Amino acid sequence: MDTREWVDTAAIGGNASEELKQSLFDIVIAAAKSIKVRGIRGFEPEIVTRLEWTDVSVLKNAEEPKKVEGRVVCETTVEDDMLNIRGTLHGACSALLIDSCSMMPTALLGLVTTGRADLGATQSMTILFHGPAMIGDRLRIVSTTISLGGRAQSSRCEIWNVTHHRLVASGVHTRMSASSAKAFSRL
């Protein structure tokens, strides 16, 4: 989740239009700003602001050619604040990367199919850890939609160690659409 104030969307690869890339970026920025406004602090901004968007695409689904899927690819380099006590990428940091990146393709697909994006609230996230990544290793995070429904949305995410050509972690993230506040009165 790139939380910089501005990014050159023309420099991001992929087949999505510049307008679509900018809309997605604006949604991610708005979400990040709402966290700051509420005064929530933590390590997330330190790590996710270093993500570089390299590909934003809308592709035909290989299994169901009448459907499309969103795909967003980000890259980052493992730094010391991302490590566990053994000096490898911390599992919680992998979960943070999967959580932050997996919402992007469903938001993208929502923009394409309905004209709006719903970031939703996490219902479940399943993560498998495959191999380590060390300080200085370059990571590629590939996120793709699985489904986008009226109430639930899901995506898969893989973290690849580009330096050593191996899979670090993979996950499936399911989110529910956020419900709007309903007015009520007590009598």
Side-chain angles (χ1 to χ4, degrees):
M1 173 170 33
D2 196 326
T3 56
R4 293 173 288 179
E5 291 295 320
W6 180 86
V7 68
D8 181 8
T9 55
I12 300 170
N15 69 2
S17 68
E18 263 192 73
E19 180 182 30
L20 196 53
K21 291 174 187 175
Q22 188 63 53
S23 293
L24 179 62
F25 186 77
D26 291 344
I27 289 164
V28 170
I29 289 296
K33 283 184 178 178
S34 81
I35 290 171
K36 284 183 182 177
V37 167
R38 293 181 301 193
I40 298 170
R41 296 183 359 211
F43 61 90
E44 180 180 15
E46 295 295 321
I47 294 170
V48 297
T49 54
R50 297 192 299 247
L51 291 174
E52 301 164 23
W53 296 21
T54 60
D55 185 284
V56 176
S57 295
V58 179
L59 308 166
K60 283 187 177 183
N61 185 303
E63 304 306 318
E64 186 56 52
K66 291 184 180 182
K67 298 205 178 246
V68 293
E69 60 187 19
R71 181 176 188 263
V72 177
V73 180
C74 297
E75 293 189 5
T76 193
T77 300
V78 178
E79 296 186 23
D80 60 353
D81 60 349
M82 301 165 76
L83 303 177
N84 60 25
I85 197 165
R86 289 179 302 284
T88 61
L89 182 66
H90 197 290
C93 188
S94 296
L96 169 68
L97 292 171
I98 290 170
D99 181 33
S100 298
C101 294
S102 64
M103 71 160 182
M104 290 188 245
T106 53
L108 174 66
L109 192 57
L111 287 170
V112 168
T113 58
T114 67
R116 62 183 194 87
D118 179 7
L119 300 180
T122 297
Q123 181 182 25
S124 71
M125 189 163 49
T126 303
I127 301 172
L128 297 172
F129 300 98
H130 303 279
M134 312 279 204
I135 194 165
D137 286 354
R138 188 74 176 161
L139 303 178
R140 178 177 296 121
I141 303 123
V142 181
S143 301
T144 311
T145 55
I146 296 173
S147 69
L148 182 66
R151 292 187 175 196
Q153 49 193 331
S154 59
S155 56
R156 64 183 156 270
C157 186
E158 297 176 334
I159 301 174
W160 288 91
N161 185 328
V162 177
T163 306
H164 296 287
H165 310 284
R166 63 179 167 223
L167 187 60
V168 173
S170 59
V172 173
H173 190 184
T174 303
R175 286 179 306 287
M176 300 299 290
S177 294
S179 59
S180 58
K182 296 180 182 176
F184 69 95
S185 65
R186 291 186 188 179
L187 296 176

PDB file of all heavy atoms in Angstrom, residues 23 72 157:
ATOM      1  N   SER A  23      -7.003   6.319  -9.648  1.00  0.00           N
ATOM      2  CA  SER A  23      -8.159   6.113  -8.769  1.00  0.00           C
ATOM      3  C   SER A  23      -7.827   5.124  -7.663  1.00  0.00           C
ATOM      4  O   SER A  23      -8.171   5.341  -6.492  1.00  0.00           O
ATOM      5  CB  SER A  23      -9.362   5.602  -9.568  1.00  0.00           C
ATOM      6  OG  SER A  23      -9.815   6.582 -10.452  1.00  0.00           O
ATOM      7  N   VAL A  72      -2.328  -6.855  -8.922  1.00  0.00           N
ATOM      8  CA  VAL A  72      -1.449  -5.765  -8.513  1.00  0.00           C
ATOM      9  C   VAL A  72      -0.149  -6.376  -8.003  1.00  0.00           C
ATOM     10  O   VAL A  72      -0.169  -7.308  -7.196  1.00  0.00           O
ATOM     11  CB  VAL A  72      -2.099  -4.881  -7.415  1.00  0.00           C
ATOM     12  CG1 VAL A  72      -1.135  -3.800  -6.958  1.00  0.00           C
ATOM     13  CG2 VAL A  72      -3.400  -4.267  -7.920  1.00  0.00           C
ATOM     14  N   CYS A 157      -2.439 -13.940  -2.480  1.00  0.00           N
ATOM     15  CA  CYS A 157      -1.237 -13.118  -2.496  1.00  0.00           C
ATOM     16  C   CYS A 157      -0.023 -14.027  -2.308  1.00  0.00           C
ATOM     17  O   CYS A 157      -0.052 -14.945  -1.490  1.00  0.00           O
ATOM     18  CB  CYS A 157      -1.320 -12.092  -1.361  1.00  0.00           C
ATOM     19  SG  CYS A 157       0.010 -10.897  -1.336  1.00  0.00           S
TER      20      CYS A 157
END
